[in-house]
Amino acid sequence: MTQVYFDHNSTSPMLPIAMEAWVYAQSDAWMNASAPYRGSARVNALFDNACERIAERIDCKMNEVVFTSGASEGITSIFFWLAREYPAEKVLLAPTEHTAVQRAAEFFFPGKTDYLDANPDGSIDLRQLEEKLLTREYAAVAVMAANNETGLIHPWKLINALCRKHKSWYICDATQWMGKLESHEIGICDFLVASAHKFGGSKGCGLLKLPAQIDDFRLILGGEQQEGRRAGTVDYPGIIALVEAFDWTNKLTSKINDYRGNFLRSIANKIPDITINTDLNNSLWNTLSIALPKYENIRWIHNLDQAGFLVSTGAACSFETRASKTLQAIGKTSDEIRRTIRISSSWNNTEDEWQELAEAMIKIWNKLGHEDQ
Amino acid sequence: MTQVYFDHNSTSPMLPIAMEAWVYAQSDAWMNASAPYRGSARVNALFDNACERIAERIDCKMNEVVFTSGASEGITSIFFWLAREYPAEKVLLAPTEHTAVQRAAEFFFPGKTDYLDANPDGSIDLRQLEEKLLTREYAAVAVMAANNETGLIHPWKLINALCRKHKSWYICDATQWMGKLESHEIGICDFLVASAHKFGGSKGCGLLKLPAQIDDFRLILGGEQQEGRRAGTVDYPGIIALVEAFDWTNKLTSKINDYRGNFLRSIANKIPDITINTDLNNSLWNTLSIALPKYENIRWIHNLDQAGFLVSTGAACSFETRASKTLQAIGKTSDEIRRTIRISSSWNNTEDEWQELAEAMIKIWNKLGHEDQ
């Protein structure tokens, strides 16, 4: 049975263009970029070119780009650096940040990690942010570009400007933004992280942008690769796959669809009392978090899996604990959270697939109703 | 022109079996191992199987295996953990350790990183090690399994036993050992690190073995992947490629060849006064470090590159600084170091290729002699 995958906020399969680039690079540019012969100098030049392409796309300098193993590494390395530079200061987070950001902040700033309030839609109050910044107590502020669970979009450009004005560093986790929305200015954020596998690159490869003026930034120690900011043999195949996947998805960001809107209209009269956790007017076009009126999410997910549709509860990495930080932070009850599923599409999911998902859900709703009688 | 690659201690191209496994996994097992549907549970089971296969091969427990982005990350994470657990203690290193080990030790144990002496062949004195251990000042000892520049083999089994006896942790950087020599017991070392791309896996993937009883081990923070010891979406395609490459190379470790010996005999009478930095009786079969009688190594390397042979100066990651830590530690003069080249083969290099390399070197020697006249 073909399965229709609706969990792209968790991970995406590699895009053919990225896969091709990776495979080609493994035969054409596999040498160590730091070795002393011409083939190696060529890999180094290709690596520089990859940095340049990304820098140009997101509007930052080439020497501000560092390739990592993923967003979690990028985030950890930022807080590791902050803790050494500003040991006496605090950090400020949106309460809906990804586990990676919360854990890295709490680990390196124990007892000194403060949280902004969240409005019921998950948004933060920029006036509260400015008030906090005025205390001058915060080395850095982290507010993600778009939320992994609800898809909510945060005004990263304004937040970056506020942080600049008040001399705090702004950390933008763009893991869910890049590849889904126009990114040509996101490199203006002081710090930026993303993971290639969220937009069709390979797992184990990520992007970190940091301000050029920062010295002595490093988490993984060793050789002088990447200007000393990230040791370890450069994974050029992974990097070029990241760049190709990003380019491919980035070109589509003008063609946002509203398939999820049609999906919601299709199920609205058939499954009553659905709670929409996602702010449909200010969120990623691909993401939909809804609390169903009845039955635990895991029962829905298993039934949908049987019917050939893959959706999720929320963040994959917190599946086992079943505690959605985002939904808790926006005031959802644990009962609502247990009834919540997350649907997240890619550029390749068609309107038909969304409609088929709607039909499958209606069938399951009716079936579970019968079973319960 | 075909080029013959003799720099496998720097990196190797992916083995076909590893490439196939990687490509297949990208279509068959690309889902997030932590998601709540069956496809994801399957990836998780495959991941467990990969851990089990490695654990069985190297004789450790399955839950002692962690997959990282490479040896540098593994090393950094070990010293990061040690510094938090034993803030008042010191660490002890062989002076010929890789830059990654030296830098991580010096960073996390500043002023508290001590070095053993090296004999002229690079070996350490086990009595000196035991004397140091008897002081009870050392949280950990790092002596690599085999040296990346000279190929010298250290008695890791004895060192591990000594460390156990005196209650220090033993850190074994097996980056150059694994894939080249029999590894069925190397997992008995307390800590072990390796990089997949050194034995035909992909870049950006590595292996860390740590003692099962250790709690709270983590460098990269975030989700609870890999039992909380390494956050970030599991890169199953990279991991299965690592396992397949390791298996393939590991099966060959009984078939060690002495092509380098024949190579040395071939050039011995044609290029006079070569200094052999490698201890031929106690080193990796694939590695040969020699100081040529005349001309800077970089001139040799460029001439060999033109002739179709790729060899190196020493560690790729220190190419730019041109300072070989290993050769300095074993008392080589900077003049000798400047005349040193490193030749490192793989299982796929043939005896003919070694002989062709010998002929090319003799030609270059004669040519450079003429040019100099």
Side-chain angles (χ1 to χ4, degrees), chain A residues 46-55 58 62 64-71 73-74 77 178 192 194 196 199 204-210 217 220 225-227 229-236 238-244 246, chain B residues 69:
Chain A
L46 288 169
F47 170 76
D48 282 349
N49 187 252
C51 290
E52 216 172 339
R53 275 174 72 183
I54 282 287
I58 65 172
M62 188 183 149
E64 295 181 318
V65 171
V66 176
F67 292 100
T68 63
S69 68
E73 181 195 317
S77 66
M178 289 185 75
L192 182 82
F199 52 79
C205 195
L207 177 71
L208 166 67
K209 180 260 160 173
L210 44 73
F217 184 98
I220 295 181
Q225 291 95 346
Q226 304 205 56
E227 306 192 13
R229 294 172 307 188
R230 206 272 183 185
T233 303
V234 156
D235 174 21
Y236 178 71
I239 290 165
I240 191 63
L242 179 153
V243 175
E244 293 293 349
F246 179 65
Chain B
S69 68

Side-chain angles (χ1 to χ4, degrees), chain A residues 192-312:
Chain A
L192 182 82
V193 299
S195 278
H197 75 96
K198 302 284 189 187
F199 52 79
S202 64
K203 291 172 183 67
C205 195
L207 177 71
L208 166 67
K209 180 260 160 173
L210 44 73
Q213 71 267 33
I214 285 183
D215 274 339
D216 199 26
F217 184 98
R218 62 188 77 203
L219 174 69
I220 295 181
L221 301 160
E224 287 298 312
Q225 291 95 346
Q226 304 205 56
E227 306 192 13
R229 294 172 307 188
R230 206 272 183 185
T233 303
V234 156
D235 174 21
Y236 178 71
I239 290 165
I240 191 63
L242 179 153
V243 175
E244 293 293 349
F246 179 65
D247 257 14
W248 191 88
T249 51
N250 205 34
K251 276 178 196 146
L252 294 168
T253 54
S254 58
K255 297 179 185 164
I256 292 173
N257 64 60
D258 188 33
Y259 301 159
R260 73 172 177 184
N262 297 338
F263 164 85
L264 280 172
R265 283 182 282 279
S266 296
I267 60 169
N269 299 318
K270 310 288 175 53
I271 308 174
D273 302 322
I274 286 170
T275 311
I276 302 173
N277 301 322
T278 294
D279 177 352
L280 298 175
N281 296 313
N282 183 38
S283 53
L284 297 172
W285 54 272
N286 80 313
T287 307
L288 184 60
S289 171
I290 51 176
L292 292 150
K294 269 171 95 171
Y295 317 119
E296 281 216 31
N297 51 14
I298 206 68
R299 198 166 164 198
W300 277 99
I301 285 163
H302 288 170
N303 274 280
L304 281 165
D305 189 356
Q306 300 277 356
F309 297 88
L310 304 183
V311 306
S312 179

Side-chain angles (χ1 to χ4, degrees), chain B residues 262-329:
Chain B
N262 297 339
F263 163 86
L264 279 172
R265 283 182 281 278
S266 295
I267 59 170
N269 299 320
K270 308 291 175 53
I271 308 173
D273 303 324
I274 287 171
T275 311
I276 302 172
N277 302 321
T278 295
D279 177 351
L280 298 174
N281 296 314
N282 183 37
S283 53
L284 298 171
W285 53 273
N286 80 313
T287 306
L288 184 60
S289 172
I290 49 176
L292 292 150
K294 267 172 96 171
Y295 317 121
E296 281 216 30
N297 50 14
I298 206 68
R299 198 167 166 198
W300 277 99
I301 286 163
H302 287 170
N303 274 280
L304 281 165
D305 189 356
Q306 299 277 356
F309 297 88
L310 304 183
V311 306
S312 179
T313 50
C317 56
S318 62
F319 162 57
E320 281 173 39
T321 56
R322 304 285 290 282
S324 160
K325 283 183 192 299
T326 298
L327 298 180
Q328 279 172 5

Side-chain angles (χ1 to χ4, degrees), chain B residues 16 26 39 97 99 121 155 170 211 222 234 243 266 275 310 313 322 338:
Chain B
Q26 288 293 359
E97 287 302 286
T99 311
D121 63 352
Y170 172 49
V234 156
V243 175
S266 295
T275 311
L310 304 183
T313 50
R322 304 285 290 282
R338 269 198 303 275

